[in-house]
């Protein structure tokens, strides 16, 4: 863990320097940070659920959930480049721009840099403390898990509005935080499913997860996907149906032109195709095919974040918006693997389900 902490501090320093020199890099860093923080928070939400319901799937993927959740304190440190580059990212840092209209001016007290950073620190510290305690609990902690879920769903609304929606402060919707949270759940569980497919049956002591347990993992992925689709569509329906120009404009930017192609790609590949695939029992009972569906959902979650963030800024989509999330992902996977190796080495199973190679 000390090695990963040192690597994280070095990465933070380099990213801060690069962000100060290049606004395009800083936007790409924001996308990357939100992507992998979302994966860790999605795993955290399922870890809380596992502590509450004490299910078999929680025993199966427990080590993976704990390892992913344990990266949250490290990810919190990587917020520093964003904190030091607010003026490159958020238009409300320009006082003249913020005071140009009455609706924007009404948000001036909330969109204050010091208040913004104070909220971020409180949220990240709360997530880090809860994640660390739950990931290192030696017995089921339903009370702590319930607290974790309550804190998470209350604070994710603030975080989503601050870090994503305030890129375009004219937009406001109360459902955005829940839409982000459900997307994170899909992404976090997708990574867990991919990890299960990669580690099961590897080595003489590695258990092979039976098809019945794989089907449970696939069903949970289906549930998370359905919840995300419902919230995303409901948010669109409410904003579009209200027909308020300042809010509808946010969607107009994202459903016209090239971004309209991305929007329909999200409908098809983030919902329709995985929805049909996860209805099929043979796919959910096969680790490789289930991991393929999970990989598609993780990719589409990244595309969704790009769709959220890039149209709000004047710079067009660039190669950094792809390269930085990939590089950030390599660091996260390394941290995840080292934490997993330092704890429970392989996926554990109930005794009646063990089926060694």
């Amino acid at each position: 863990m000390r090695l990963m902490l040192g690597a994280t501090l070095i990465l933070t320093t380099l990213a801060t320097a690069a962000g100060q020199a290049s606004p395009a890099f800083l936007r790409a860093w924001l996308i990357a940070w939100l992507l992998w923080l979302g994966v860790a928070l999605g795993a955290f939400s399922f870890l809380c659920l596992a502590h509450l319901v004490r299910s078999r799937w929680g025993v199966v993927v427990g080590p993976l959930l704990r390892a992913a959740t344990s990266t949250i304190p490290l990810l919190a440190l990587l917020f520093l480049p964003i904190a030091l580059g607010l003026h490159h990212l958020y238009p409300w840092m320009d006082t003249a721009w913020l005071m140009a209209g009455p609706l924007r001016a009404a948000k001036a007290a909330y969109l204050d840099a010091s208040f913004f950073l104070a909220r971020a620190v409180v949220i990240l510290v709360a997530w880090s403390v809860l994640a660390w305690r739950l990931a290192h609990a030696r017995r089921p902690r339903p009370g702590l898990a319930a607290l974790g879920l309550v804190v998470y769903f209350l604070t994710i609304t603030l975080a989503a509005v601050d870090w994503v929606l305030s890129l375009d402060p004219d937009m406001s919707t109360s459902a955005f935080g829940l839409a982000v949270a459900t997307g994170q759940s899909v992404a976090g569980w997708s990574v867990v499913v991919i990890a299960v497919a990669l580690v099961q049956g590897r080595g003489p002591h590695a258990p092979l997860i039976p098809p019945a347990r794989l089907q449970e993992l696939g069903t949970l992925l289906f549930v998370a996907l359905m919840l995300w689709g419902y919230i995303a569509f409901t948010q669109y329906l409410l904003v579009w149906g209200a027909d308020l120009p300042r809010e509808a404009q946010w969607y107009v930017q994202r459903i016209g032109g090239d971004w309209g192609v991305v929007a329909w790609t999200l409908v098809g590949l983030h919902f329709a195709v995985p929805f049909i695939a996860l209805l099929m029992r043979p796919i959910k009972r096969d680790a490789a095919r289930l991991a393929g569906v999970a990989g598609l959902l993780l990719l589409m979650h990244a595309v969704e974040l790009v769709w959220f963030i890039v149209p709000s800024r004047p710079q067009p989509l660039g190669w950094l918006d792809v390269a930085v999330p990939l590089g950030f992902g390599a660091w996260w996977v390394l941290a995840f693997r080292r934490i997993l190796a330092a704890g429970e080495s392989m996926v554990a199973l109930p005794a009646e389900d063990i089926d060694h190679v």
Side-chain angles (χ1 to χ4, degrees):
M1 190 64 182
R2 290 181 180 178
L3 179 61
M4 287 311 307
L5 179 59
T8 301
L9 292 175
I10 293 172
L11 182 60
T12 302
T13 303
L14 294 175
T16 300
Q20 293 300 310
S22 171
F25 176 87
L26 198 60
R27 185 187 66 185
W29 184 264
L30 176 64
I31 294 170
W33 183 74
L34 289 171
L35 171 61
W36 295 102
L37 177 65
V39 167
L41 288 171
F44 169 71
S45 65
F46 274 99
L47 181 60
C48 291
L49 187 61
H51 275 264
L52 286 171
V53 300
R54 304 185 188 183
S55 61
R56 285 186 178 180
W57 61 261
V59 178
V60 171
V61 300
L64 300 174
L65 290 173
R66 286 188 281 274
T69 297
S70 295
T71 64
I72 291 176
L74 297 176
L75 287 159
L77 295 175
L78 293 170
F79 178 74
L80 184 61
I82 298 167
L84 297 178
L86 295 182
H87 58 287
H88 289 309
L89 286 171
Y90 296 100
W92 46 262
M93 288 292 289
D94 181 351
T95 304
W97 183 92
L98 185 60
M99 295 299 178
L103 290 175
R104 293 177 187 171
K107 300 178 181 180
Y110 184 83
L111 295 176
D112 173 75
S114 298
F115 191 27
F116 176 95
L117 293 175
R119 292 193 301 272
V121 169
V122 170
I123 290 169
L124 291 172
V125 168
W127 288 348
S128 298
V129 171
L130 288 168
W132 189 259
R133 291 192 62 185
L134 204 59
H136 292 80
R138 297 184 179 274
R139 56 182 176 81
R141 298 286 301 276
L144 182 61
L147 176 64
L149 283 177
V150 170
V151 170
Y152 169 62
F153 280 107
L154 288 176
T155 54
I156 191 62
T157 297
L158 290 175
V161 169
D162 283 1
W163 303 336
V164 181
L165 211 56
S166 74
L167 289 164
D168 190 351
D170 292 331
M171 172 61 166
S172 60
T173 167
S174 58
F176 190 75
L178 191 55
V180 169
T182 52
Q184 290 176 344
S185 296
V186 172
W189 195 246
S190 295
V191 168
V192 168
V193 169
I194 293 169
V196 165
L198 291 174
V199 304
Q200 71 152 343
R202 303 296 176 88
H205 303 292
L208 184 65
I209 298 177
R213 297 285 79 79
L214 287 172
Q215 186 174 338
E216 289 181 359
L217 304 186
T219 299
L220 284 169
L221 185 59
F222 179 78
V223 171
L225 176 63
M226 284 289 293
L227 186 58
W228 170 83
Y230 172 76
I231 296 298
F233 176 72
T234 300
Q235 176 181 253
Y236 168 77
L237 187 66
L238 291 174
V239 170
W240 200 254
D243 199 24
L244 297 176
R246 63 185 177 86
E247 296 179 357
Q249 182 61 30
W250 191 87
Y251 276 107
V252 169
Q253 287 181 310
R254 289 161 176 79
I255 60 177
D258 293 339
W259 289 112
V261 176
V262 177
W264 282 110
T265 300
L266 288 170
V267 172
L269 298 183
H270 198 338
F271 184 75
V273 172
F275 175 84
I276 295 171
L278 292 172
L279 285 174
M280 300 179 184
R281 192 165 180 260
I283 290 179
K284 290 190 288 187
R285 295 173 72 90
D286 181 86
R289 287 190 284 179
L290 183 58
V293 176
L296 175 63
L297 286 170
L298 179 61
L299 175 61
M300 287 299 102
H301 178 65
V303 172
E304 182 187 33
L305 284 174
V306 170
W307 188 73
F308 282 160
I309 293 171
V310 175
S312 297
R313 308 301 300 132
Q315 301 94 342
L317 186 68
W319 67 272
L320 283 172
D321 297 310
V322 177
V324 174
L326 288 175
F328 200 115
W331 166 87
W332 188 88
V333 170
L334 177 61
F336 172 74
R337 291 187 61 182
R338 290 191 67 88
I339 294 170
L340 184 63
E344 297 158 270
S345 59
M346 296 302 298
V347 177
L349 292 172
E352 63 269 25
D353 286 341
I354 293 178
D355 182 12
H356 287 288
V357 177

